[in-house]
Amino acid sequence: MFMVPLPFVIALLAAIFAVYEALTRGLERRSGWFLAFLGLICAQQILVGLRFGYGVDSLRLVQALSATFLPPLAYLAFRRPALGPAQLVHLLPLLAGALALVCFIDALDPVLALTNLIYAVLLIRLGLGGSDALGWVETHRGRAVLTLLWLVAAVQMITFVADVVIAVDFVMTDGRNTLRILSWMTVLGLLAGLLGYTAVTWMAKRARATPESQAADNEATFRQLSALVDAEKLHLDPDINLNRIARRMMRPAREVSRAVNAVAGCNVSLYINRLRVRQACRLLEGSDMSVTQVIYAAGFDTKSNFNREFTRNTGQTPSAWRAARVGAVKG
């Protein structure tokens, strides 16, 4: 009976996701790093499927070498820096892997393990900044992208630990515990995700406790932001993000993020969504627009995101909120 290896299914999903991202998002929103990351995942999983599903062991070295560039691409996909000479440093794992292939093949696995560890740490550092650290992400997608970042970081950390433990197991027991080790690594991955979420929450609370010397600067920055939002209605743009706001204010994105956290007690994404919910309330109460029309007029891009943020801020669904207000006016 013909069987399709699971890596081929993962490769197909990655390819579909890449095509979807490329076709549905405008040029200014398209991340070449992210598309390259998805493309390499697709190629890597095809190599894995051919090797383990069909016994094409001659691809082992190619698969291992290409794996050395996957962690750097994962980091670049979330960091999304401008393409330039500074990014050449991320080619070092690939060069180290190629050097190991030529000079000392037994060093290839340690190179891959160390690469996973280094870039897992870099992703964790990025994730600790919360969604505001991903300034290029539109405000309504911040939470989803941050969750994906933590998942990728957890996978890389799991891969590093699994590589080390399995290597030791092969030396001591000839690999008899490999499947058990992989099962435990899955559990550790779930714990890593939980710890990551806890760390982000703790860092957000810590960021709000700013010294007095910085409080005045934060207040001034926040007043400038509020004035800009009032004047240009930035919150009504569904594609707005931290980087675009910071450019309009001619201030560093980190400074804007710090000010919003200190004064409003939340990150930029939540602050923008609060303003959108207020606009939605005004439209629900003062117009005959349908709820669907209000969604887009208030700056939201999906019904699910609108309902979640509206309920979070008002404690009611949009329909229930409108019914209560209309009933109060009639009464």
Side-chain angles (χ1 to χ4, degrees), residues 226-240:
S226 298
L228 180 65
V229 169
D230 288 340
E232 301 189 12
K233 308 298 180 187
L234 296 180
H235 57 293
L236 301 184
D237 180 0
D239 296 331
I240 197 66

Side-chain angles (χ1 to χ4, degrees), residues 1 24 34 61 71 73 79-80 104 109 124 138 186 195 231 257 260 263 266 273 306 313 316 326:
M1 181 177 178
T24 59
F34 186 58
L61 297 180
L73 264 185
R79 185 67 179 82
R80 198 177 177 180
F104 185 52
D109 286 338
I124 289 170
E138 298 87 346
T186 301
L195 289 174
S257 173
V260 173
V263 179
C266 63
N273 281 332
F306 171 69
N313 282 272
Q316 295 179 292
V326 172

Side-chain angles (χ1 to χ4, degrees), residues 154 158 185-195:
I158 292 169
M185 289 304 104
T186 301
V187 175
L188 289 176
L190 295 175
L191 292 176
L194 178 61
L195 289 174

Side-chain angles (χ1 to χ4, degrees), residues 153-187:
V155 168
Q156 290 187 356
M157 190 61 75
I158 292 169
T159 303
F160 162 71
V161 176
D163 286 343
V164 173
V165 176
I166 289 173
V168 173
D169 181 61
F170 265 99
V171 173
M172 300 181 65
T173 70
D174 200 26
R176 288 196 299 269
N177 300 309
T178 298
L179 292 179
R180 187 180 304 172
I181 292 169
L182 291 175
S183 298
W184 276 106
M185 289 304 104
T186 301
V187 175

